[in-house]
Amino acid sequence: IVLREPAHLAVMDCPCKLETKDPCRPIASCIAVGRPVVDFWMEHCGKYNVRRITREEALEIIDEHRRTGHINQAFFKVATGGGMGVLCNCCPRCCVSMKATALAQRIRGAQDIRMYSPSGYKVERDMEKCRLCGACAEACHFGAIEVAGGERT
C-alpha cells in the first residue's frame, strides 16, 4: 500500500499512545496514505505533530515498530479501491482498537467480535524447536496460540 502512494504519506503521533500514562515508544507511529487523508491530517491534526514523509521513512517506521513487538493494522476505505487510509503501528498495551476488541470478546464471550479482519497468516508449529515454555502464546496478542496440559495447541 505504501509503495503505491509514495508521494502522499504522512506520520503523526499516535492518539492512543498519547492518552496512555506510560506510552510505548516511538510515539510517531500512525501513517496516512493517499492525498485526501494526508491533506486532512496536515490541515487539522497539528497537535499530533503531523509531518510528510517519504516512502523510505514510512517503511522504516513500520519495520522499527515490528521489531519492537507492535502490530501493524491497516484501515483503508474499500470504496476508494484501497488507495487511501491509515496504517497504525499499534502497541497492544496502548491501542484503543485492540483493547475494544478484547473487551467486547470478554463481555460477550464471542470470538467473532472484532474491529479488524484476519491477516491471512497462520500459526505453524516446529516441534523440534518448541520447548513448551509458553513464550509464543504470551507474545501473540490475538490468542492464536495456547499451551495447555504440556502441549501446544
Side-chain angles (χ1 to χ4, degrees):
I1 296 166
V2 170
L3 299 177
R4 283 189 288 172
E5 286 288 335
H8 303 289
L9 299 167
V11 66
M12 75 175 185
D13 294 347
C14 174
C16 298
K17 289 179 182 179
L18 293 177
E19 292 301 318
T20 302
K21 288 182 182 181
D22 183 27
C24 58
R25 305 277 184 212
I27 298 291
S29 57
C30 298
I31 300 173
V33 178
R35 194 181 77 199
V37 180
V38 170
D39 289 350
F40 180 85
W41 280 17
M42 294 301 292
E43 188 173 336
H44 299 286
C45 300
K47 72 179 185 177
Y48 297 111
N49 301 308
V50 64
R51 63 183 173 84
R52 290 184 184 275
I53 57 174
T54 65
R55 172 179 38 201
E56 291 74 22
E57 289 173 295
L59 293 173
E60 179 54 37
I61 290 167
I62 292 166
D63 286 344
E64 178 181 9
H65 282 85
R66 284 183 181 164
R67 286 190 298 269
T68 58
H70 288 69
I71 305 298
N72 306 113
Q73 294 193 76
F75 301 93
F76 282 79
K77 191 78 172 152
V78 174
T80 67
M84 63 179 216
V86 177
L87 291 171
C88 291
N89 296 287
C90 301
C91 163
R93 188 172 51 84
C94 301
C95 177
V96 171
S97 173
M98 294 177 78
K99 286 180 180 181
T101 298
L103 179 62
Q105 289 175 344
R106 278 196 308 273
I107 291 172
R108 303 268 317 239
Q111 293 300 310
D112 62 342
I113 298 174
R114 55 180 61 81
M115 295 175 67
Y116 44 82
S117 297
S119 67
Y121 292 104
K122 64 180 184 174
V123 176
E124 289 189 17
R125 298 192 296 188
D126 184 342
M127 293 311 292
E128 291 181 19
K129 293 181 181 178
C130 182
R131 298 185 319 259
L132 297 172
C133 66
C136 58
E138 191 175 310
C140 179
H141 305 293
F142 299 99
I145 304 169
E146 181 179 285
V147 177
E151 292 185 20
R152 184 174 161 193
T153 58

